[in-house]
Amino acid sequence: MQAEVADVLRKVGSKIESYGLNTWQLRTLYAIKKCRTAELGGHIDACDECGNLTISYNSCRNRHCPKCQGKNREDWIESRSTELLPVPYFHVVFTLPEAINSLAIHQPKVVYDTLFEATWETLQTFGKTKEMQMGMFAVLHTWGQQLSLHPHLHCIVPGGGIGKNGQWQNSRTDGKFLFPVKALSKVFRAKYCAKLKEKEPIKYEQIRQALWQKPWVVFAKKPFGSPKSVVEYLGRYTHKIAISNRRIKSIDDQNVTFEYKDYRVAGVKKQMTLSHQEFIRRFALHILPKRFVKIRHYGFLSSTWKREKLKLLQEKLQVKVLEKREKKLFLPKCPCCKTGNLHRIAIFDQRGPPAWYLGDSQSSIPCKN
C-alpha cells in the first residue's frame, strides 16, 4: 500500500502542535490528514452494470493535498487550450537566491508577491524596447527536490507581443530566441531588490550584500514544438505540490524515507530519510498564505485583456478558436466489473454510512465478476 503524507501526520498525532507551526499551517495539515477518511463523510455509489455498491470518503480539496490536484489540473489545461496563439512559446524560470529564504519563512506573501511583480516588470522592460505589449502566465513553486525552500517562478511567455498597430510581432524574426538570459537576470535582480528595499528596508539592508554577491538565475528553454504542447507541459507544474505520495518510500515510527532527483549529478534518483518532525517542518514551508494566488496571468494573457481582445487577435492570426466544452457529469468506473459507471445513491456525514448499508444489503447484489 502506498505510503502518504497523511500517514506521517497520523503517526505524530497531537505532537504536531509542539512543532512551532502557525495556525494556518496546522489547519492545512489537519485537512490533509482527514482527506478521504470517515471524518469528512462520504457517499455510496451503485454500479449501473453489476449492481455492486461502493463506499467513498470525501476529499479535503485543499490545494496542498497530494490527493486532490488531478481534476483541478485537467480543468486548468482545458481552459488554457482555448487561449492559444500560433506563435512560439518559451518556458522561462526566475529563481530567488538562498539569501532571501529567511524572509520568505517569516513574510512569504511579501517575498512571493514581489517575485511575481519583478518578473513581469522585467519582461515588460524588454518588450518595451521593441514597442510591444508582452504577455505571460506564471506559476509559483517554493520547493527543491529535498523539500528545502527554493522559491522560483515557472513562466510561459509567448515569443513576441502586440505592437502599436494591434498586430502580432515576434521578439525575433526566427522565433527561436526570446531575450538574452544574462540581461534578463541583471534586470530581474535590480527590480526585485528595488522593490524589496521599498517594502522591507531594514531586512533588505541586512541581506543586501548577499543578494548582490552572485548572479541570479534565469533559465529559458527553447520554444515548444506546438502551442498545444505548451499548456500540457505547464499543466504538470500548475497544481504540483511540494511532494507527491508516490515519492514516499517508507514510514516507520521515527522516520520518513522519500525519493528525490539530484540535479547536480544529471538528475540521478536518490533517497533521503528525515525524522517525522523535520519532514513535516519542511512540508509546511510550502503551505502558501491564505488566499494567496499562485497562478497569475499578465499583459495580453490577463483576464481583462482576454475578455475584450483575445478573440480579435486569434481571428487576425487565423486561429480556429476552440470553444470551451460543456462540462459533463463525471461518472467513475466500477472497481468491481471495470465496465459499469458508478452513480451516487446516498451521502453521509462523519457519523458514517446509513444503517441499511451497514447491514447485509451491501453484499445482497453480488458482483458479476
Side-chain angles (χ1 to χ4, degrees), residues 55-341:
I55 189 168
S56 300
Y57 293 112
N58 293 333
S59 301
C60 67
R61 299 186 181 181
N62 191 286
R63 62 176 171 173
H64 300 95
C65 178
K67 294 186 283 194
C68 290
Q69 308 311 309
K71 188 173 185 306
N72 290 338
R73 184 188 302 116
E74 295 307 313
D75 289 347
W76 187 89
I77 290 173
E78 189 172 321
S79 295
R80 299 292 80 73
S81 297
T82 64
E83 301 165 2
L84 294 171
L85 300 172
V87 302
Y89 284 81
F90 295 81
H91 179 191
V92 190
V93 185
F94 291 80
T95 304
L96 291 178
E98 193 176 343
I100 207 79
N101 285 359
S102 60
L103 183 60
I105 291 171
H106 297 102
Q107 291 184 267
K109 191 173 188 309
V110 171
V111 170
Y112 302 149
D113 276 337
T114 306
L115 174 57
F116 277 102
E117 293 163 12
T119 296
W120 173 232
E121 287 188 18
T122 297
L123 288 171
Q124 277 188 306
T125 298
F126 283 80
K128 283 174 183 174
T129 62
K130 296 181 178 288
E131 298 185 316
M132 62 186 182
Q133 166 69 61
M134 300 287 294
M136 80 166 186
F137 46 87
V139 183
L140 174 69
H141 282 186
T142 61
W143 56 85
Q145 279 283 303
Q146 297 178 6
L147 288 182
S148 54
L149 201 57
H150 179 62
H152 55 285
L153 212 56
H154 290 276
C155 308
I156 292 297
V157 185
I162 314 300
K164 285 185 176 180
N165 59 0
Q167 300 294 322
W168 175 264
Q169 64 181 68
N170 284 342
S171 57
R172 286 277 291 264
T173 53
D174 58 7
K176 295 181 180 179
F177 185 77
L178 186 62
F179 302 120
V181 288
K182 287 186 179 178
L184 281 171
S185 174
K186 288 179 181 178
V187 174
F188 171 55
R189 178 172 62 179
K191 288 190 175 293
Y192 192 96
C193 289
K195 287 178 173 295
L196 188 62
K197 184 178 180 180
E198 184 182 336
K199 294 178 181 181
E200 293 290 333
I202 296 174
K203 184 61 181 176
Y204 171 75
E205 285 303 321
Q206 292 172 351
I207 62 175
R208 178 174 59 84
Q209 188 175 355
L211 291 176
W212 290 90
Q213 221 165 27
K214 297 179 183 177
W216 288 22
V217 178
V218 175
F219 176 74
K221 288 192 176 180
K222 291 179 181 178
F224 294 89
S226 70
K228 192 171 182 228
S229 64
V230 176
V231 174
E232 291 172 354
Y233 178 84
L234 195 62
R236 301 183 216 162
Y237 291 90
T238 53
H239 297 82
K240 232 179 183 182
I241 60 159
I243 187 169
S244 61
N245 284 332
R246 63 181 172 75
R247 284 177 55 198
I248 299 176
K249 298 305 173 185
S250 66
I251 303 168
D252 60 29
D253 290 338
Q254 281 82 37
N255 300 311
V256 183
T257 299
F258 63 92
E259 188 176 75
Y260 71 95
K261 291 180 182 177
D262 189 343
Y263 289 111
R264 292 172 298 182
V265 283
V268 172
K269 288 185 178 181
K270 298 182 178 180
Q271 291 192 355
M272 172 173 278
T273 299
L274 300 174
S275 67
H276 293 164
Q277 182 171 351
E278 178 59 14
F279 178 84
I280 291 170
R281 184 194 73 81
R282 292 194 189 190
F283 186 88
L285 286 175
H286 312 294
I287 295 174
L288 296 173
K290 191 175 184 179
R291 298 192 184 92
F292 185 88
V293 180
K294 75 166 190 173
I295 306 175
R296 304 186 189 184
H297 303 71
Y298 294 88
F300 65 81
L301 293 177
S302 66
S303 55
T304 304
W305 204 97
K306 284 187 293 193
R307 273 197 304 269
E308 297 174 359
K309 303 174 184 176
L310 179 64
K311 283 193 176 180
L312 288 173
L313 180 59
Q314 287 177 322
E315 286 171 11
K316 286 179 182 177
L317 294 171
Q318 299 181 327
V319 177
K320 187 179 179 182
V321 180
L322 295 172
E323 294 296 330
K324 289 186 181 179
R325 289 179 293 180
E326 189 176 334
K327 288 185 180 179
K328 294 180 181 178
L329 180 65
F330 173 69
L331 295 173
K333 287 291 179 186
C334 175
C336 180
C337 67
K338 307 290 192 297
T339 56
N341 295 316

